[in-house]
Amino acid sequence: MSEHLPAAAARLTDAVDRLADRFRAMPQSRLLNAVPGHPSRAAAGLALARRLADRARALEGLPALEVPDSGAFAVGDQLAVTGHDLALAAGDGHPQELAAALAEVEHTDRLTA
């Protein structure tokens, strides 16, 4: 899908996809281990998914809706969906928003490695 997006949006979706795949492959014990600032890796991933969703909805002129806590094993999918939604909402017109989101994804990637 990223081949049909502007370059900045494609960078975001590529980074989100890598992080989401890593979360999907993590065993439960690793997902539930604490990381700085969060009670678990899954909680850190969910917090990022919620921020990405809020940014996408704001760009679309919609009110925020909380991404539900659907359990540790759902976080990878939640990251993928919210990251792709943001990339589509931002398109070409919001490069700063895409750069900020990419920085957050990269930070969460390092935090949960």
Side-chain angles (χ1 to χ4, degrees), residues 8 12 48 51-52 55 86 90 94-108 110:
L12 175 61
L48 173 61
R51 290 191 305 273
L52 295 174
R55 287 172 182 246
L86 177 55
H94 302 278
Q96 295 91 350
E97 191 68 35
L98 290 167
L102 179 59
E104 284 193 62
V105 169
E106 291 171 342
H107 172 76
T108 301
R110 289 187 302 274

Side-chain angles (χ1 to χ4, degrees), residues 68-86:
D69 183 346
S70 298
F73 292 116
V75 172
D77 292 335
Q78 291 172 311
L79 285 167
V81 169
T82 58
H84 281 258
D85 284 352
L86 177 55

Side-chain angles (χ1 to χ4, degrees), residues 19-20 23 26 31-32 35 37-54 65-83 104 108-109 111-112:
L19 182 60
F23 268 87
M26 275 187 212
L31 282 167
L32 298 180
V35 294
H38 299 278
S40 68
R41 282 180 177 81
L46 178 59
L48 173 61
R50 287 174 171 167
R51 290 191 305 273
L52 295 174
D54 288 349
L65 290 176
E66 186 168 297
V67 174
D69 183 346
S70 298
F73 292 116
V75 172
D77 292 335
Q78 291 172 311
L79 285 167
V81 169
T82 58
E104 284 193 62
T108 301
D109 188 26
L111 180 69
T112 61

